[in-house]
Amino acid sequence: MAETLLVVNAGSSSIKFQLFEIAGDELELEFRGQMEGIGTRPHLTAKDAEGQQIVDDSYEREAVQDVRGAFDQLDDWLIAQLNGQAPRVIGHRVVHGGPDYSAPVEIDDTILDRLQELVPLAPLHQPNNLAPIREIRRRYPQIPQVACFDTAFHRNHPEVADRYAIPDEFYRAGVRRYGFHGLSYEYVAARLREVAPDLAEGRVVVCHLGSGASMCAIHRGRSIDSTMGFTAVDGLPMGTRTGQLDPGVVLYLVQNRGYGAKEVERFLYHDGGLKGLSGVSNDMRDLEASDTAGARLAIDYFVYRIACATGALAAAMGGIDGLVFTAGIGERCAPVRAAVVERLSWLGVELDSAANREDALVISTPTSRLQALVVPTNEELTIARHALRLVRGAVGPSEEEATV
């Protein structure tokens, strides 16, 4: 059997995975799937490269209460699919690389300990990213594992973009604007060179809109600035995260409402965003289906902040040539895209309504001064490429870097 490469993208209630066959320097998708509903309604699904269902199993809640239980079930299924042959390498998405890691790394105990120290900067994600790494190291210590960081794509920002207006000692200690969703932005930047090469050389604002949401200014394939900062709670409102918030609100909660650190963390990460504004749901599909004033407000606020951030990111690049939508809402929610484009009509962007309804690649009209595109992201493929290069000991820049 040919060598394979497994990619694991673990969250708080799900483990997404993709398996690739290594064919020389190419990676060919074998199947993709996820174990979702961990701790509630565990459900394993997977489809092959042609989109055909190959597994659709549900489990008792007691059997999959945490990541370890989920991996027990997933491990058994994967071993059966691979006829007992272990993957050549396993790549992982790790949200925060901190000031130390600006490129993918092969994981050892020292690196794992350092990444654990970054948990307070990404409390929703980092613990869940690291849990399957530990479990795999315990079961299969001989398999190389590679960590790929959501912060890495943004590490070449100008210093002025990454600083806060605080004393230098804090910057040197790592208190700076990192930016996130970098694996998604890296994939989109590379994909633009294939589908819109002229635009890829220009100034593009990419909107990664999902339960976690951010935006990035990309010029000639490089990140210039991002809406997210020190943690993944800054910038746009998200499913349950507040997004941009005056720090004085936190002081008010502590001084006047008696909040402690844990209560503040819950407020910022779990009680805000679309859920907090709407009082209905953190899911855009639920909000669109709702006729409540809160749901309408949440959608309007989301669109408003996207439009405002577009102007700021365009200023960081000295102009804008294109707007790209990606991730769950960005790829599949035509009404949100239409509302954003309408608010940005002053930039000269014109929407092709029919193309937008069909989630087409290009959703702007031929006469639009600004191009608007929908580019589905693939963080797992980006991780797979990095992991393969690293374990093969490739020297020099990646293909994507070399062609920028």
Side-chain angles (χ1 to χ4, degrees):
M1 185 176 177
E3 287 189 327
T4 58
L5 187 154
L6 177 66
V7 172
V8 176
N9 186 343
S12 59
S13 62
S14 68
I15 300 177
K16 298 178 183 178
F17 57 88
Q18 291 191 26
L19 186 84
F20 298 87
E21 179 181 316
I22 302 172
D25 293 329
E26 300 298 321
L27 289 162
E28 298 178 1
L29 179 67
E30 291 290 303
F31 55 77
R32 70 178 76 195
Q34 65 177 341
M35 172 71 82
E36 59 184 340
I38 297 173
T40 55
R41 297 179 180 176
H43 188 202
L44 172 63
T45 58
K47 295 181 179 180
D48 64 19
E50 285 72 45
Q52 297 298 311
Q53 197 87 33
I54 55 177
V55 65
D56 188 352
D57 291 342
S58 296
Y59 301 86
E60 293 297 326
R61 177 178 179 177
E62 293 72 22
V64 186
Q65 293 185 346
D66 51 23
V67 170
R68 184 169 183 172
F71 205 82
D72 281 339
Q73 305 296 338
L74 183 56
D75 189 20
D76 290 342
W77 184 81
L78 285 170
I79 288 174
Q81 298 300 307
L82 297 173
N83 297 318
Q85 180 174 325
R88 168 72 178 84
V89 59
I90 300 175
H92 297 266
R93 176 194 177 211
V94 177
V95 164
H96 216 305
D100 295 338
Y101 302 110
S102 58
V105 292
E106 186 171 340
I107 298 164
D108 58 23
D109 289 337
T110 300
I111 289 173
L112 198 53
D113 289 344
R114 180 69 186 106
L115 297 179
Q116 178 66 32
E117 294 173 5
L118 299 173
V119 165
L121 306 190
L124 283 186
H125 303 90
Q126 199 86 347
N128 300 303
N129 298 157
L130 302 182
I133 295 174
R134 290 195 179 90
E135 190 61 22
I136 292 169
R137 281 173 64 78
R138 185 181 70 83
R139 300 183 187 207
Y140 306 105
Q142 78 282 6
I143 301 179
Q145 296 190 80
V146 173
C148 299
F149 303 102
D150 257 343
T151 50
F153 184 66
H154 306 292
R155 286 300 302 276
N156 293 317
H157 283 175
E159 185 177 341
V160 69
D162 281 352
R163 285 272 190 169
Y164 289 109
I166 56 179
D168 184 63
E169 64 178 287
F170 293 99
Y171 179 78
R172 287 186 279 107
V175 181
R176 61 187 70 176
R177 299 183 69 250
Y178 290 100
F180 298 88
H181 293 134
L183 294 165
S184 175
Y185 293 128
E186 182 180 354
Y187 176 83
V188 170
R191 183 67 176 147
L192 281 178
R193 289 196 289 272
E194 300 172 0
V195 300
D198 291 341
L199 182 59
E201 289 298 305
R203 299 161 297 185
V204 184
V205 171
V206 181
C207 309
H208 178 105
L209 308 178
S211 179
S214 71
M215 296 167 63
C216 183
I218 299 178
H219 184 206
R220 300 189 68 190
R222 303 283 187 180
S223 174
I224 303 300
D225 204 347
S226 169
T227 56
M228 281 184 167
F230 181 55
T231 69
V233 76
D234 197 11
L236 300 180
M238 296 165 242
T240 62
R241 282 171 267 172
T242 60
Q244 177 185 336
L245 189 72
D246 185 333
V249 174
V250 175
L251 292 177
Y252 165 79
L253 294 175
V254 172
Q255 295 170 351
N256 297 86
R257 301 290 288 268
Y259 277 45
K262 286 298 181 183
E263 289 84 1
V264 168
E265 181 180 292
R266 178 163 188 84
F267 178 84
L268 296 175
Y269 284 92
H270 297 281
D271 295 338
L274 300 178
K275 174 187 172 184
L277 271 173
S278 70
V280 174
S281 174
N282 63 333
D283 192 311
M284 183 60 72
R285 292 166 294 188
D286 294 338
L287 299 182
E288 288 192 301
S290 174
D291 59 0
T292 66
R296 184 69 260 165
L297 173 63
I299 296 173
D300 289 346
Y301 184 85
F302 188 59
V303 169
Y304 175 75
R305 288 299 172 190
I306 294 168
C308 290
T310 301
L313 294 172
M317 297 184 289
I320 180 173
D321 303 304
L323 184 69
V324 175
F325 296 93
T326 193
I329 297 172
E331 294 170 23
R332 295 186 287 275
C333 191
V336 166
R337 293 195 303 258
V340 170
V341 170
E342 182 180 356
R343 273 200 170 268
L344 296 175
S345 59
W346 61 275
L347 284 171
V349 58
E350 299 175 354
L351 186 71
D352 182 328
S353 297
N356 184 49
R357 286 193 298 271
E358 295 169 1
D359 301 333
L361 171 65
V362 179
I363 60 172
S364 53
T365 65
T367 57
S368 178
R369 193 192 71 78
L370 217 67
Q371 291 187 63
L373 282 72
V374 178
V375 178
T377 192
N378 193 337
E379 295 165 312
E380 287 79 14
L381 181 55
T382 301
I383 294 168
R385 288 169 173 166
H386 281 308
L388 183 60
R389 276 197 298 269
L390 189 63
V391 297
R392 285 185 168 177
V395 177
S398 68
E399 180 181 348
E400 289 85 358
E401 292 168 336
T403 56
V404 170

